[in-house]
Amino acid sequence: MKCKTLHKDLIFYLDNELPIEKRKEIERHLEMCADCRNFYSFLQAEMQIIGKEKNPEPSPFFFTRLSARIDERPDFRQQSLWNRVAQPAFFSLILIAGIYGGLRFGSHASSGAIHQTSSSSVQLLNDFESEPIESFLLDQ
Amino acid sequence: MDESELIKGIQQGDHRSFQTLVDTYQRKVVNTCLVIVHNTADAEDLAQDVFLEIFRTAGNFRGEARLSTWLYRIATNRSLNHIRNKKRKGFFQSLEETFTGGKNRNSEISENGDDQPDHRITDRQRSDLLHRAIDHLPEKQRVAFTLNKYEELPYQQIAEIMEISLASVESLIHRAKKNLQEQLYECYRKKCV
Ligand SMILES: [Zn+2]
């Protein structure tokens, strides 16, 4: 095995990701090549840094600061309230108003017989009458 | 309290549910940001932004993904945006310095071993070198590698966070390791620390 070949696989050797033959080959080379051995120690020490940097101590005031940021931005709370309650209520109201208006208009148009020219739209509006209002709300 | 109860609580504006969420995930979120931005104060600010975003948008959470997947995704995206903005600022700053005759900062791995022969490398130097090497990885390789190595996340969850296939994650992490090894070998050869 050449030094160059070893340098390509050493990081996978460190992570135990190589087949057994390849591992053995690398170990044989490391035993007799001081330069590769040095690089191996260097690489190993570098990768061990990851373990030392993992999981830093959390800041004790993290949540206090976070709460303060939420409190100083009242729009956060209002926004969540709007999303939760006001927004669905608002759209339900519009929907109900629309359905009610449609029914009123529909019944007016069919009973009034003022202008029968747009009979297809009257037919369409009359269809609303045959369906219960609850089904519209359930679809939402 | 399980995840769905936690989310339900936050959606209803329950302060204690939100605090439980922060207590549970604070370390993970700060660490994820820190690995990308390498600055504790910035990482904590970004982590706070992540939790604020969760607080604001909890109503949109549909529960198809794990809560931690959602948190990691926001944390990596915000951290990457942060360094992109910083780089942009740095670019204009270095332009300004070029015109005003100021020093041009260079983040490349530099050779400085010649004037310090036979010295012991400190953990701080090793850590700086590793960060610079990780910073030189293409973004996707960097994210996949750090989530796997620092957060010890399985490939499947990384695939969900990054919204890519499992095979792509494998390939990204493999290439990241190869790239890191090459950079570290260059440094070793030139005695850069
Ligand atoms: Zn060798």
Side-chain angles (χ1 to χ4, degrees), chain B residues 103-114:
Chain B
K103 251 190 168 179
N104 195 346
R105 279 176 300 164
N106 196 345
S107 67
E108 293 292 317
I109 294 173
S110 59
E111 294 173 48
N112 62 6
D114 290 344

Side-chain angles (χ1 to χ4, degrees), chain A residues 1-4 6-7 29-30 32-37:
Chain A
M1 179 185 250
K2 287 179 186 165
C3 299
K4 223 177 166 182
L6 179 127
H7 295 157
H29 183 95
L30 287 175
M32 48 176 225
C33 179
D35 190 43
C36 283
R37 229 170 20 242

Side-chain angles (χ1 to χ4, degrees), chain A:
Chain A
M1 179 185 250
K2 287 179 186 165
C3 299
K4 223 177 166 182
T5 320
L6 179 127
H7 295 157
K8 281 183 187 153
D9 286 329
L10 215 44
I11 198 160
F12 302 108
Y13 172 78
L14 268 175
D15 280 354
N16 221 343
E17 288 174 0
L18 294 178
I20 185 83
E21 294 96 65
K22 194 107 192 174
R23 286 189 65 84
K24 290 236 161 91
E25 214 181 327
I26 286 177
E27 281 160 10
R28 276 198 297 274
H29 183 95
L30 287 175
E31 258 174 52
M32 48 176 225
C33 179
D35 190 43
C36 283
R37 229 170 20 242
N38 281 339
F39 176 53
Y40 173 72
S41 310
F42 177 84
L43 189 65
Q44 191 177 35
E46 279 298 330
M47 299 318 276
Q48 278 169 354
I49 290 290
I50 294 175
K52 292 176 186 172
E53 288 182 338
K54 245 181 239 175
N55 292 318
E57 264 314 298
S59 156
F61 304 112
F62 188 87
F63 190 74
T64 317
R65 273 181 56 215
L66 187 57
S67 300
R69 282 182 69 186
I70 290 175
D71 289 341
E72 74 194 27
R73 291 278 305 269
D75 51 315
F76 281 160
R77 287 190 183 281
Q78 273 164 17
Q79 201 165 10
S80 72
L81 198 75
W82 162 253
N83 287 340
R84 259 181 12 247
V85 186
Q87 206 177 12
F90 177 70
F91 286 120
S92 304
L93 219 74
I94 287 188
L95 182 74
I96 290 165
I99 292 167
Y100 179 71
L103 290 172
R104 283 283 296 246
F105 178 67
S107 63
H108 211 268
S110 58
S111 66
I114 309 157
H115 294 293
Q116 289 292 335
T117 43
S118 59
S119 59
S120 65
S121 81
V122 170
Q123 184 60 46
L124 200 73
L125 286 164
N126 278 340
D127 284 346
F128 280 115
E129 278 185 325
S130 59
E131 274 201 63
I133 293 172
E134 294 90 82
S135 71
F136 286 101
L137 295 172
L138 285 171
D139 283 346
Q140 284 305 298

Side-chain angles (χ1 to χ4, degrees), chain A residues 7-8 10-11 15 17 35 38 46 52-56 58-59 62 65 69-70 76 84, chain B residues 11 26-27 31 44-45 48-49 52 56 123 126-127 129 131 149-150 152 177 181 185 188:
Chain A
H7 295 157
K8 281 183 187 153
L10 215 44
I11 198 160
D15 280 354
E17 288 174 0
D35 190 43
N38 281 339
E46 279 298 330
K52 292 176 186 172
E53 288 182 338
K54 245 181 239 175
N55 292 318
S59 156
F62 188 87
R65 273 181 56 215
R69 282 182 69 186
I70 290 175
F76 281 160
R84 259 181 12 247
Chain B
Q11 284 172 339
Q26 177 193 338
R27 203 184 265 256
N31 198 26
E44 287 210 354
D45 285 347
Q48 296 218 335
D49 294 341
L52 286 179
R56 257 185 329 115
D123 269 2
R126 286 195 199 283
S127 154
L129 171 65
H131 293 169
K149 280 290 181 183
Y150 283 86
E152 296 172 353
K177 286 183 182 176
Q181 181 172 248
Y185 182 65
Y188 166 78

